[in-house]
Amino acid sequence: MSEVRAEMVANVWKVVVAEGDAVEDGDTLVILESMKMEIPVLAEDPGTVVSLKVAEGDVIQEGHLIAVIE
Amino acid sequence: MFESVLVANRGEIARRVIRTVRALGIKAIAVYSEADADLPYVAEADEAVLIGPAQPAKSYLDMDAVMEAARRTNARAIHPGYGFLAENAGFARRVVDDGLIWIGPPPEAIAAMGDKISARNLMERAGVPVAAGTREPVPDADAAVAAGIGYPVMVKAAGGGGGIGMSVAYDEDGLRKAYDTARTRAERFFGNPDILLERFVERARHVEIQILGLADGTVLALGERDCSVQRRHQKVVEETPSTGVGPELRSRMLSAAVRAGEAVGYRGAGTVECLVDPVAQEFVFLEMNTRLQVEHPVTELVTGIDLVEQQLLVAAGEPVTFTAVEPRGHAIEFRVYAEDPRRFLPSPGEITVWEEPAGEVIRVDSGYEAGNKVTPFYDPLLAKLCVYGPDRAQALATARDAVEAFRIEGPKTNLAFFTELLANPEFVSGDYDTGLVDRMRA
């Protein structure tokens, strides 16, 4: 199981995957936006998205849990 | 001269404009969002108006909110700074229609240059060299068009700016990808889906010319700035004079920039951006920025001309303060961003320590001080560290000391990147191009 967390304060611009989706290492899970920059958050391991903790438009803090991949 | 100016911007540029406005005895009015209430520019203005919440669309980009602030404070003129509404022809038109003075070029000049396709065609007609490329919007990732231009091609949003909405393609596969990326960003950031393709010049330098259109219609060129140190097509360091431009090329570029300004009836400060092939000593027009540029201080340092003061004078219909442009010495600007120095990812946060370097040949235009919070809502520019020297070697030496002495704690900053850059043989030699930062990070 791997937890994907935010590296910085950001706005959730796009949620690319849904719970239950199978992902490969390097797939984009969500796209954050901070300081006029889009920052794709990638899966670091292959697996299934068992939990997705953000929605488009959310403002999240550094360390905020974005997704759990199993 | 008018009695008051509303500065429709934030951070370092609002502070810098307010400084000159007040020095001229004009009343400075600031506007701010809820996120910016504690920033120095708000306190330094004679009057400040809260115009909305943190999101730019609800504050700095909200024309109604800005105009209402101008009405309530009885502002006589509006200075837009750069970004936000600065290159919005509709806003400029509205300011003028409401009987206020717009400190910028005529709305028609903004509109003519705002679309990269029409700007390119207009420049070609004015005899300014342009890169091989498309003269109308390209509706899809058309491989035949790209092949006709010749790879690599730059895929660009016609309404784009600030390096956003640009992607390079080296082949047909890359073209589709670059096209999709550019298209998505064009729609999302600029509300204009038009895309153009242009020949991409590798190992080029990005050199721009500062122009100033006077009240009597004369257009002057105030020298160049080399902006080739870039990450993600965004400038990080700028210097003047350019080490890649010889005297003969410089003189051709300055005349072309004047022709560009004359072609659109330009007034006030503007910048003609070009790509330069330093080996062939040739250049092509990229785009024109119809506003004060972020990196205007380097031009001020070598010419002794206050560009904001000239903007105000031109807008008031008065003559400028100088008679000749005689650049002396060398100036370099470093954009201190709230971002990590390795990957250049944004790093908002609260500033706990802020100590600026100081000295006769050092100028710091900053937007923040200790205790301020850097929020994720705006661009990551914290301060512009500028140095001057009688020659480039001495400017570099001052820069090394100044970067070392600049202490910022809280958000991560790219100061460590500058230390690295100032030790990089390519940069130090002066023989570098827009690929420099990518090579340093490869």
Side-chain angles (χ1 to χ4, degrees):
Chain A
M1 191 186 83
S2 77
E3 290 186 340
V4 181
R5 292 180 182 275
E7 284 187 61
M8 70 210 68
V9 185
N11 180 46
V12 179
W13 173 42
K14 261 193 181 156
V15 175
V16 181
V17 294
E19 286 183 358
D21 283 1
V23 291
E24 294 296 324
D25 173 16
D27 280 359
T28 301
L29 303 173
V30 303
I31 302 174
L32 304 180
E33 182 182 40
S34 187
M35 303 185 126
K36 289 173 73 184
M37 184 187 163
E38 295 161 24
I39 304 137
V41 177
L42 312 179
E44 286 173 9
D45 301 292
T48 303
V49 180
V50 292
S51 159
L52 197 59
K53 298 290 189 191
V54 295
E56 287 177 11
D58 285 0
V59 176
I60 57 174
Q61 302 297 314
E62 187 175 345
H64 186 105
L65 182 64
I66 293 172
V68 180
I69 294 172
E70 224 168 62
Chain B
M1 180 59 72
F2 30 79
E3 318 79 71
S4 59
V5 174
L6 181 139
V7 183
N9 216 293
R10 63 176 298 281
E12 72 84 17
I13 195 61
R15 197 180 195 187
R16 189 263 167 272
V17 172
I18 288 168
R19 177 164 59 76
T20 292
V21 167
R22 298 199 72 234
L24 295 175
I26 304 166
K27 180 175 156 189
I29 302 157
V31 293
Y32 64 98
S33 75
E34 284 164 4
D36 287 340
D38 296 330
L39 296 192
Y41 82 92
V42 176
E44 289 167 16
D46 295 298
E47 204 176 335
V49 183
L50 174 67
I51 50 165
Q55 292 85 341
K58 294 176 181 166
S59 47
Y60 302 106
L61 285 171
D62 183 341
M63 297 188 209
D64 291 337
V66 174
M67 292 312 289
E68 173 58 18
R71 195 194 57 77
R72 267 172 45 202
T73 53
N74 201 23
R76 291 298 308 130
I78 293 190
H79 192 302
Y82 53 70
F84 297 124
L85 297 168
E87 289 176 279
N88 185 318
F91 181 65
R93 167 60 56 209
R94 183 164 165 187
V95 170
V96 175
D97 287 349
D98 278 12
L100 301 187
I101 291 164
W102 168 251
I103 303 172
E108 299 74 28
I110 301 178
M113 289 299 185
D115 184 283
K116 290 188 180 178
I117 299 171
S118 81
R120 196 177 174 283
N121 297 340
L122 187 63
M123 288 303 100
E124 202 173 9
R125 284 198 299 274
V128 178
V130 297
T134 51
R135 289 188 178 79
E136 47 200 81
V138 182
D140 48 53
D142 194 325
V145 171
I149 295 166
Y151 290 104
V153 295
M154 179 64 95
V155 185
K156 275 190 202 175
I164 297 168
M166 284 165 48
S167 295
V168 185
Y170 290 87
D171 51 32
E172 211 178 310
D173 258 7
L175 176 69
R176 269 188 294 273
K177 228 179 190 168
Y179 191 92
D180 287 347
T181 308
R183 185 76 171 224
T184 312
R185 296 198 174 149
E187 283 169 356
R188 170 154 188 256
F189 291 108
F190 310 110
N192 171 1
D194 290 352
I195 299 292
L196 69 148
L197 305 186
E198 251 178 15
R199 183 68 189 265
F200 175 65
V201 190
E202 285 184 282
R203 310 217 49 121
R205 296 182 73 129
H206 183 132
V207 181
E208 61 187 26
I209 308 293
Q210 175 71 54
I211 63 166
L212 186 70
L214 308 187
D216 69 6
T218 314
V219 177
L220 304 176
L222 280 72
E224 85 277 13
R225 293 181 289 258
D226 194 310
C227 314
S228 304
V229 182
Q230 305 187 350
R231 55 116 180 83
R232 294 190 291 264
H233 304 299
Q234 288 171 337
K235 301 162 188 171
V236 192
V237 174
E238 300 94 348
E239 62 179 314
T240 188
S242 167
T243 51
V245 174
E248 192 270 332
L249 173 60
R250 175 172 300 113
S251 118
R252 273 190 286 137
M253 290 182 75
L254 296 179
S255 345
V258 168
R259 283 201 300 280
E262 287 170 348
V264 289
Y266 205 82
R267 295 289 179 283
T271 295
V272 178
E273 300 200 326
C274 302
L275 271 186
V276 165
D277 178 337
V279 178
Q281 289 287 290
E282 292 295 343
F283 73 100
V284 290
F285 169 83
L286 262 188
E287 63 180 71
M288 181 164 174
N289 294 323
T290 51
R291 50 162 165 89
L292 187 66
Q293 199 86 327
V294 178
E295 57 274 21
H296 73 277
V298 293
T299 300
E300 295 185 325
L301 286 171
V302 299
T303 59
I305 296 167
D306 180 330
L307 285 168
V308 174
E309 181 179 9
Q310 314 315 317
Q311 285 189 296
L312 298 171
L313 289 167
V314 170
E318 294 178 25
V320 292
T321 59
F322 61 94
T323 47
V325 183
E326 290 163 348
R328 278 198 189 83
H330 200 98
I332 315 175
E333 171 184 281
F334 299 82
R335 298 192 190 188
V336 182
Y337 286 130
E339 65 183 24
D340 81 86
R342 285 297 315 168
R343 294 190 297 157
F344 311 121
L345 289 179
S347 171
E350 189 176 332
I351 299 169
T352 52
V353 175
W354 181 279
E355 285 171 28
E356 293 174 8
E360 223 179 289
V361 287
I362 296 173
R363 165 174 166 182
V364 182
D365 284 17
S366 64
Y368 297 86
E369 60 193 12
N372 290 154
K373 211 174 209 168
V374 182
T375 63
F377 303 105
Y378 314 109
D379 75 57
L381 185 62
L382 296 175
K384 302 181 310 205
L385 168 60
C386 306
V387 297
Y388 176 82
D391 57 33
R392 189 168 188 263
Q394 292 182 69
L396 289 174
T398 301
R400 288 187 189 98
D401 292 343
V403 165
E404 212 53 48
F406 209 148
R407 281 191 63 214
I408 301 170
E409 284 172 25
K412 289 174 198 150
T413 75
N414 60 344
L415 281 166
F417 169 73
F418 296 138
T419 306
E420 214 182 306
L421 182 74
L422 287 162
N424 178 282
E426 229 183 295
F427 180 69
V428 172
S429 75
D431 184 14
Y432 61 94
D433 57 69
T434 51
L436 173 65
V437 180
D438 285 344
R439 286 193 291 279
M440 287 173 72
R441 286 293 174 268

